[in-house]
Amino acid sequence: MSKKLPFFNKGKNIKNDFIRAESVPKHVAIIMDGNGRWAKKRGLPRIAGHKEGVNAVNKIVRAAHKCNVQILTLYAFSTENWKRPASEIEFLMKLPKEFLHIYLPELMENNVQIKTIGDFEALPEYTKEAVQYAKDQTKNNDGLILNFALNYGSRYEIIKAIKQLMTDVNGSKVSIDSLDEKVFSEYLYTQGLSDPDLLIRTSGEMRLSNFLLWQSAYTEFWFTDVLWPDFNEEVFLQAIEDYQYRIRRYGGV
Ligand code: FPP
C-alpha cells in the first residue's frame, strides 16, 4: 500500500489524491520564467514581475518543505542575465537580501539549509553578504536544501571543472584512469548534491537555457504555461503528481 501524505488531502481544488510519499522527487529544479510577461500583462514595469516572483519563491519553498522534497534548486540569475539593463540587474541582485530579510527566521524554524551554485565571487557585495550570512546561519540545518542558482551557467561550470581537473591531474592529485562520471561530478558546483529528478520550467518556454546540463541527463522535465509569479502550491503539486506517473528507465528496459 502506498502511503499518502496527509497534507495533500486538505486543499479544496488541489488535485492531490495521487501523491505518494515514497515517490516524491528528491531534487526538484525550477527555471522560474515569465516575470516580465506577468508584469507586461498588467501594464507594470518588469521589476514588478520579479517582486511578485519572490512571493512565488516563498510559496514553493513552503510546499517543497511540506512534501519532503530534499533539494529545491531555483534558477534566480544566469550568467547570461548580465545582458539585461543595469537597473533590472540591480533589482534582481537585491532580491535575495530582501527575501532572506523576511524569511530567514521561518527557514531556520523549518530546518532549511541555504546553498548556492554559480560564480558567487562575481556577485555584488550586498548580495554576497546577505546570502553568505544565510548560508552560515543555516549550515547545520538538515532539512530541505534551498539551493539558489545565482550567476549560474552550466557551460561555464563545466569548463571551470575541466580546468580544475587538469590542474589536479598535472599535480598528480587525480589520475586520468580514475576519472569517471562520479569523479567529474565532484568538480561541479553541485558537488555533493544528487542530480535533479524533476525539472520544471514555467511560462511556456521549453528549453534548458544553460541550466544543469550535465546534471539533467536523466531528469524528468515538466513544462507549464503558468507565469512564475502565478506559480503556486497547486501547480507545484500537479507537477509532482505527473512526475509520479513517469517511468524512469535510465536507458534500460
Ligand atoms: C525570468 O523571467 C526570471 C528571472 C531572470 C529572475 C528570476 C528571479 C525571481 C523569480 C526572484 C528570485 C528570488 C529570490 C529570492 C532570489 P523573465 O524576466 O525573463 O520573464 P520574461 O521572459 O517574461 O521576460
Side-chain angles (χ1 to χ4, degrees), residues 179-195:
L179 178 60
D180 59 13
E181 293 176 13
K182 196 163 173 286
V183 170
F184 187 71
S185 295
E186 291 303 302
Y187 282 83
L188 299 172
Y189 289 126
T190 46
Q191 169 193 49
L193 300 176
S194 62
D195 289 340

Side-chain angles (χ1 to χ4, degrees), residues 42-219:
R42 287 161 179 78
L44 298 170
R46 293 177 55 78
I47 56 169
H50 297 316
K51 200 168 169 56
E52 194 57 31
V54 175
N55 296 331
V57 167
N58 174 47
K59 285 180 201 161
I60 299 318
V61 172
R62 283 182 181 165
H65 163 73
K66 280 199 268 179
C67 64
N68 295 328
V69 166
Q70 292 176 33
I71 308 165
L72 178 67
T73 297
L74 300 178
Y75 205 4
F77 194 90
S78 76
T79 46
E80 287 71 33
N81 287 151
W82 294 108
K83 293 178 200 152
R84 295 185 176 215
S87 57
E88 184 173 339
I89 293 173
E90 194 184 336
F91 191 86
L92 284 168
M93 285 298 164
K94 286 188 174 152
L95 293 180
K97 183 173 179 173
E98 225 171 87
F99 172 80
L100 292 165
H101 179 71
I102 303 169
Y103 296 112
L104 188 56
E106 181 181 332
L107 296 171
M108 278 302 287
E109 217 168 279
N110 287 332
N111 201 20
V112 174
Q113 186 185 159
I114 308 279
K115 278 184 178 281
T116 60
I117 52 173
D119 184 5
F120 194 75
E121 281 316 305
L123 294 171
E125 279 308 318
Y126 54 85
T127 313
K128 277 197 280 192
E129 210 180 291
V131 176
Q132 192 56 54
Y133 178 76
K135 286 204 237 184
D136 293 342
Q137 290 291 304
T138 62
K139 70 173 191 294
N140 295 321
N141 291 350
D142 59 4
L144 171 72
I145 293 175
L146 174 55
N147 185 31
F148 285 111
L150 276 173
N151 193 18
Y152 175 86
S154 206
R155 288 182 172 182
Y156 176 81
E157 173 186 41
I158 291 169
I159 299 285
K160 187 174 160 298
I162 292 170
K163 284 183 180 171
Q164 187 57 52
L165 183 62
M166 288 176 82
T167 307
D168 287 354
V169 168
N170 290 338
S172 304
K173 282 197 201 152
V174 174
S175 74
I176 286 280
D177 290 341
S178 72
L179 178 60
D180 59 13
E181 293 176 13
K182 196 163 173 286
V183 170
F184 187 71
S185 295
E186 291 303 302
Y187 282 83
L188 299 172
Y189 289 126
T190 46
Q191 169 193 49
L193 300 176
S194 62
D195 289 340
D197 300 291
L198 171 65
L199 187 145
I200 297 170
R201 183 168 189 154
T202 60
S203 87
E205 308 293 346
M206 295 187 193
R207 55 181 171 268
L208 267 180
S209 299
N210 206 11
F211 190 44
L212 302 174
L213 301 181
W214 168 276
Q215 297 86 342
S216 61
Y218 282 100
T219 298

